[in-house]
Amino acid sequence: MNLPREPWQPSEGALPPDWSRYIDDLRQHAAGPVPLEAQGKLVRVAGLVLEAAGIRMPVGSVCEVQGEGNATVQAEVVGFAGDRAFLMPTGEVHGLASGARVVPRRAPILAPSLGAPSHPWRRSEDRTRHLPIGVGLLGRVIDPNGHPMDRLGPVHAVRNEPLVRRPINAMDRDPVREPLDTGVRAINAMLTVGRGQRIGLFAGSGVGKSVLLGMMAKYTAADVIVVGLIGERGREVKEFIEDILGEEGLARSVVVAAPADAPPLTRMQGATYATAIAEHFRDRGQHVLLLMDSLTRYAMAQREIALAIGEPPATKGYPPSCFAKLPQLVERSGNGLNGCGSITAFYTVLSEGDDQQDPIADAARAILDGHIVLSRELAEAGHYPAIDIERSASRVMHNVAPKAHLDAARRFRQLWSRLSKAKDLIALGAYAPGHDAELDLAVRSADAMRALLQQDMHDASPLAASVAQLRQTAGA
């Protein structure tokens, strides 16, 4: 005979007082009414934007558009006009029809913490997107929604966390004082990077920026590497992971891939997600290398969204919000509070037509702590990595390199510049030694200087060895 079950009651003294209060709170919450939440309906689809009526949600909130059958699309509120909310989908909108239900993301329930005074459970006001973050992401390739792309099964040892965090007070950040070994001789010797620095990699297409990023991913002295492939060709994702990053680099890396065919909101979310992952490991006291390819694609995604909701275009079609979003993303990297971890970030910036005055390139130079320019002319001459030393600069090198190193780098620049200016003269056969001692020295040192600046992608050059070779070449 089946007897009705009595509700489970803890025996006297079986649980500590905190846990007893916790169970009482659970009972009170379960017995309470379920609050009703307003739902809206889809009234218009225009290009990339969905318009919903009957729903009031703050900008940044996540909702679900439920069409007929299984047609369901997640979307984010990106603006509003009157009683209409503008939504940007994160997937395809095929199958949606007028009148589709727009359901807000359920707000998470906040439980009272143990040891705190008993109070009713309440719903959080945070309806923004929360994605998995944790040590379980190491060695994995995921999409901007946190779903694995590497077919290695589900991700474990993670928990859902918000993508946007409160910015660090500028006075609480540690200054950049410690050099970082990137394993690339030209950068170590001539453009020394500091731990916690944000630097841009300015390049056109096909000049070797992906290879240079792969070299830094494999050889940089960092605890964790976070790679954000934003808006790149889908073919390049697997090639970068297998051919450039390799098993050794992937083992300590997290790769967030948002290919070019992803919706603009998803591409922007990929950059924000990669930054949030880097912040998580930095807050645990680890040194993180953040490689984002590319910052320009992030700005282009924001341009698509802004123009779609009616923001007026400004410089070369980029609306003002694009130039406001860039520093908001970049400023999240850097050193943490009181030396507890750091994020050293390299952002690639595409220069359309190799134009260094491109508006995004110009804006990025102003907010980053240095720029490394890759030259198409050097790449066509077989000079790899194709770093143009004369047009590149590290704004923190004087804080992390000793005086002898700085003097040798300055002397190298003088000789390299003199040699570059006399290149046409030498090619025409009009150069005659003995008339200019400085140029004579530059010509004699030409092979040694080129050997310093060139490096095979499979060879690492430690910082100490790079500086020693620089001093020998510059005669310092």
Side-chain angles (χ1 to χ4, degrees):
M1 183 175 61
N2 295 328
L3 297 176
R5 287 188 175 182
E6 293 292 333
W8 179 82
Q9 298 284 344
S11 58
E12 187 67 27
L15 292 173
D18 285 341
W19 280 100
S20 298
R21 188 187 313 143
Y22 179 73
I23 292 177
D24 290 339
D25 287 335
L26 280 173
R27 288 181 180 142
Q28 292 176 14
H29 176 73
V34 178
L36 296 177
E37 293 186 325
Q39 298 182 359
K41 67 176 181 177
L42 187 66
V43 296
R44 186 169 183 260
V45 176
L48 300 175
V49 180
L50 313 179
E51 292 187 20
I55 187 171
R56 291 186 179 181
M57 298 175 63
V59 174
S61 301
V62 179
C63 57
E64 198 174 73
V65 184
Q66 300 175 351
E68 297 180 358
N70 296 325
T72 301
V73 178
Q74 281 199 345
E76 182 176 314
V77 180
V78 295
F80 56 85
D83 60 347
R84 299 285 182 92
F86 297 151
L87 312 177
M88 187 63 61
T90 59
E92 295 293 335
V93 297
H94 296 298
L96 296 183
S98 178
R101 287 196 309 160
V102 180
V103 182
R105 171 185 177 268
R106 290 188 63 82
I109 299 173
L110 300 180
S113 58
L114 292 181
S118 180
H119 62 272
W121 289 36
R122 57 187 175 86
R123 286 190 178 273
S124 169
E125 297 299 325
D126 183 9
R127 295 177 182 267
T128 60
R129 192 175 301 278
H130 291 56
L131 294 177
I133 296 176
V135 294
L137 296 177
L138 289 174
R140 303 301 301 269
V141 182
I142 54 178
D143 67 8
N145 293 312
H147 302 145
M149 301 176 63
D150 48 16
R151 303 186 185 279
L152 297 179
V155 178
H156 302 287
V158 294
R159 67 176 184 178
N160 289 342
E161 295 185 10
L163 296 187
V164 180
R165 303 186 179 193
R166 180 171 301 189
I168 298 177
N169 189 322
M171 293 300 296
D172 294 335
R173 286 186 184 271
D174 273 2
V176 179
R177 291 288 185 267
E178 182 183 350
L180 178 68
D181 186 0
T182 63
V184 181
R185 187 163 48 244
I187 296 177
N188 283 342
M190 300 299 301
L191 304 164
T192 310
V193 175
R195 194 179 293 281
Q197 183 178 358
R198 289 81 59 92
I199 195 163
L201 197 59
F202 293 74
S205 57
V207 294
K209 67 179 183 303
S210 296
V211 175
L212 183 57
L213 287 178
M215 291 175 65
M216 289 187 287
K218 287 191 290 187
Y219 306 138
T220 299
D223 301 321
V224 177
I225 299 167
V226 180
V227 182
L229 301 177
I230 311 302
E232 295 301 312
R233 292 177 287 271
R235 171 187 59 82
E236 292 184 338
V237 174
K238 191 170 184 178
E239 288 183 0
F240 180 87
I241 295 169
E242 294 185 353
D243 302 337
I244 299 177
L245 193 60
E247 292 185 5
E248 180 182 353
L250 183 60
R252 56 173 179 157
S253 302
V254 181
V255 180
V256 181
D261 60 345
L265 186 64
T266 303
R267 279 177 267 148
M268 289 192 65
Q269 182 177 304
T272 307
Y273 189 20
T275 305
I277 294 172
E279 288 175 319
H280 169 81
F281 288 106
R282 177 189 63 188
D283 294 344
R284 298 181 58 189
Q286 295 178 292
H287 297 297
V288 183
L289 175 67
L290 174 62
L291 305 175
M292 190 167 295
D293 186 13
S294 70
L295 195 63
T296 305
R297 305 293 189 197
Y298 174 83
M300 288 180 174
Q302 171 60 22
R303 176 175 64 179
E304 294 179 38
I305 295 174
L307 294 178
I309 63 176
E311 188 176 347
T315 309
K316 285 193 175 180
Y318 287 97
S321 63
C322 290
F323 303 100
K325 286 285 187 180
L326 291 178
Q328 291 176 7
L329 178 71
V330 170
E331 283 296 322
R332 293 173 61 177
S333 56
N335 283 331
L337 300 172
N338 303 320
C340 62
S342 65
I343 301 176
T344 307
F346 285 84
Y347 299 93
T348 66
V349 181
L350 298 176
S351 304
E352 297 183 5
D354 295 330
D355 179 16
Q356 295 301 316
Q357 304 307 316
D358 177 84
I360 297 301
D362 196 49
R365 260 195 307 271
I367 60 177
L368 293 171
D369 302 325
H371 51 277
I372 299 174
V373 179
L374 300 186
S375 167
R376 187 174 301 278
E377 183 181 356
L378 291 175
E380 291 172 347
H383 181 118
Y384 289 103
I387 299 175
D388 190 336
I389 294 299
E390 294 179 281
R391 296 197 296 170
S392 304
S394 173
R395 295 181 180 176
V396 303
M397 183 175 177
H398 63 281
N399 293 332
V400 300
K403 186 177 184 302
H405 181 184
L406 294 174
D407 292 342
R410 188 178 301 111
R411 181 58 176 162
F412 186 99
R413 283 180 180 271
Q414 292 172 350
L415 295 176
W416 184 260
S417 178
R418 197 62 182 270
L419 183 66
S420 298
K421 291 178 180 178
K423 180 176 60 176
D424 294 337
L425 188 68
I426 297 172
L428 292 173
Y431 162 71
H435 299 285
D436 188 335
E438 189 81 359
L439 180 57
D440 292 344
L441 178 58
V443 172
R444 290 196 301 269
S445 306
D447 292 339
M449 288 191 291
R450 293 191 186 96
L452 174 72
L453 298 179
Q454 296 184 50
Q455 182 179 344
D456 186 84
M457 65 176 293
H458 300 293
D459 296 333
S461 179
L463 178 61
S466 302
V467 175
Q469 186 172 346
L470 168 67
R471 298 188 62 178
Q472 181 180 3
T473 303

PDB file of all heavy atoms in Angstrom, residues 130-141:
ATOM      1  N   HIS A 130      24.567  36.488 -19.378  1.00  0.00           N
ATOM      2  CA  HIS A 130      25.553  35.829 -18.522  1.00  0.00           C
ATOM      3  C   HIS A 130      26.072  34.605 -19.273  1.00  0.00           C
ATOM      4  O   HIS A 130      25.277  33.803 -19.778  1.00  0.00           O
ATOM      5  CB  HIS A 130      24.924  35.393 -17.192  1.00  0.00           C
ATOM      6  CG  HIS A 130      24.556  36.536 -16.299  1.00  0.00           C
ATOM      7  ND1 HIS A 130      23.718  37.553 -16.689  1.00  0.00           N
ATOM      8  CD2 HIS A 130      24.935  36.822 -15.019  1.00  0.00           C
ATOM      9  CE1 HIS A 130      23.583  38.409 -15.696  1.00  0.00           C
ATOM     10  NE2 HIS A 130      24.301  37.997 -14.673  1.00  0.00           N
ATOM     11  N   LEU A 131      27.388  34.453 -19.322  1.00  0.00           N
ATOM     12  CA  LEU A 131      27.999  33.367 -20.079  1.00  0.00           C
ATOM     13  C   LEU A 131      28.993  32.601 -19.214  1.00  0.00           C
ATOM     14  O   LEU A 131      29.510  33.141 -18.216  1.00  0.00           O
ATOM     15  CB  LEU A 131      28.706  33.919 -21.328  1.00  0.00           C
ATOM     16  CG  LEU A 131      27.793  34.543 -22.390  1.00  0.00           C
ATOM     17  CD1 LEU A 131      28.610  35.106 -23.528  1.00  0.00           C
ATOM     18  CD2 LEU A 131      26.793  33.528 -22.915  1.00  0.00           C
ATOM     19  N   PRO A 132      29.284  31.329 -19.562  1.00  0.00           N
ATOM     20  CA  PRO A 132      30.188  30.519 -18.726  1.00  0.00           C
ATOM     21  C   PRO A 132      31.614  31.036 -18.737  1.00  0.00           C
ATOM     22  O   PRO A 132      32.185  31.313 -19.803  1.00  0.00           O
ATOM     23  CB  PRO A 132      30.091  29.121 -19.359  1.00  0.00           C
ATOM     24  CG  PRO A 132      29.574  29.339 -20.737  1.00  0.00           C
ATOM     25  CD  PRO A 132      28.708  30.553 -20.672  1.00  0.00           C
ATOM     26  N   ILE A 133      32.183  31.165 -17.555  1.00  0.00           N
ATOM     27  CA  ILE A 133      33.558  31.632 -17.380  1.00  0.00           C
ATOM     28  C   ILE A 133      34.192  30.796 -16.276  1.00  0.00           C
ATOM     29  O   ILE A 133      33.563  30.553 -15.244  1.00  0.00           O
ATOM     30  CB  ILE A 133      33.602  33.126 -17.015  1.00  0.00           C
ATOM     31  CG1 ILE A 133      33.055  33.984 -18.158  1.00  0.00           C
ATOM     32  CG2 ILE A 133      35.019  33.571 -16.673  1.00  0.00           C
ATOM     33  CD1 ILE A 133      32.982  35.469 -17.841  1.00  0.00           C
ATOM     34  N   GLY A 134      35.428  30.354 -16.486  1.00  0.00           N
ATOM     35  CA  GLY A 134      36.127  29.579 -15.469  1.00  0.00           C
ATOM     36  C   GLY A 134      37.302  28.818 -16.053  1.00  0.00           C
ATOM     37  O   GLY A 134      37.585  28.880 -17.262  1.00  0.00           O
ATOM     38  N   VAL A 135      37.978  28.056 -15.209  1.00  0.00           N
ATOM     39  CA  VAL A 135      39.178  27.335 -15.627  1.00  0.00           C
ATOM     40  C   VAL A 135      38.851  26.225 -16.621  1.00  0.00           C
ATOM     41  O   VAL A 135      39.731  25.769 -17.356  1.00  0.00           O
ATOM     42  CB  VAL A 135      39.904  26.739 -14.403  1.00  0.00           C
ATOM     43  CG1 VAL A 135      40.448  27.839 -13.513  1.00  0.00           C
ATOM     44  CG2 VAL A 135      38.972  25.828 -13.602  1.00  0.00           C
ATOM     45  N   GLY A 136      37.596  25.795 -16.662  1.00  0.00           N
ATOM     46  CA  GLY A 136      37.223  24.751 -17.607  1.00  0.00           C
ATOM     47  C   GLY A 136      37.313  25.181 -19.057  1.00  0.00           C
ATOM     48  O   GLY A 136      37.244  24.339 -19.958  1.00  0.00           O
ATOM     49  N   LEU A 137      37.481  26.477 -19.318  1.00  0.00           N
ATOM     50  CA  LEU A 137      37.598  26.957 -20.693  1.00  0.00           C
ATOM     51  C   LEU A 137      39.000  26.803 -21.260  1.00  0.00           C
ATOM     52  O   LEU A 137      39.187  26.929 -22.474  1.00  0.00           O
ATOM     53  CB  LEU A 137      37.199  28.449 -20.758  1.00  0.00           C
ATOM     54  CG  LEU A 137      35.753  28.785 -20.398  1.00  0.00           C
ATOM     55  CD1 LEU A 137      35.537  30.292 -20.447  1.00  0.00           C
ATOM     56  CD2 LEU A 137      34.786  28.086 -21.347  1.00  0.00           C
ATOM     57  N   LEU A 138      39.989  26.544 -20.416  1.00  0.00           N
ATOM     58  CA  LEU A 138      41.362  26.407 -20.906  1.00  0.00           C
ATOM     59  C   LEU A 138      41.475  25.234 -21.872  1.00  0.00           C
ATOM     60  O   LEU A 138      40.989  24.134 -21.611  1.00  0.00           O
ATOM     61  CB  LEU A 138      42.327  26.211 -19.735  1.00  0.00           C
ATOM     62  CG  LEU A 138      42.556  27.437 -18.846  1.00  0.00           C
ATOM     63  CD1 LEU A 138      43.406  27.070 -17.649  1.00  0.00           C
ATOM     64  CD2 LEU A 138      43.211  28.546 -19.647  1.00  0.00           C
ATOM     65  N   GLY A 139      42.116  25.485 -23.008  1.00  0.00           N
ATOM     66  CA  GLY A 139      42.288  24.466 -24.027  1.00  0.00           C
ATOM     67  C   GLY A 139      41.082  24.263 -24.910  1.00  0.00           C
ATOM     68  O   GLY A 139      41.068  23.339 -25.729  1.00  0.00           O
ATOM     69  N   ARG A 140      40.066  25.130 -24.782  1.00  0.00           N
ATOM     70  CA  ARG A 140      38.837  24.949 -25.540  1.00  0.00           C
ATOM     71  C   ARG A 140      38.650  26.076 -26.554  1.00  0.00           C
ATOM     72  O   ARG A 140      39.182  27.179 -26.407  1.00  0.00           O
ATOM     73  CB  ARG A 140      37.630  24.912 -24.598  1.00  0.00           C
ATOM     74  CG  ARG A 140      37.675  23.849 -23.526  1.00  0.00           C
ATOM     75  CD  ARG A 140      37.775  22.432 -24.111  1.00  0.00           C
ATOM     76  NE  ARG A 140      36.662  22.121 -24.987  1.00  0.00           N
ATOM     77  CZ  ARG A 140      35.527  21.542 -24.574  1.00  0.00           C
ATOM     78  NH1 ARG A 140      35.381  21.219 -23.291  1.00  0.00           N
ATOM     79  NH2 ARG A 140      34.567  21.253 -25.434  1.00  0.00           N
ATOM     80  N   VAL A 141      37.851  25.771 -27.575  1.00  0.00           N
ATOM     81  CA  VAL A 141      37.456  26.750 -28.590  1.00  0.00           C
ATOM     82  C   VAL A 141      35.945  26.908 -28.467  1.00  0.00           C
ATOM     83  O   VAL A 141      35.200  25.925 -28.598  1.00  0.00           O
ATOM     84  CB  VAL A 141      37.836  26.289 -30.007  1.00  0.00           C
ATOM     85  CG1 VAL A 141      37.453  27.349 -31.035  1.00  0.00           C
ATOM     86  CG2 VAL A 141      39.321  25.972 -30.084  1.00  0.00           C
TER      87      VAL A 141
END
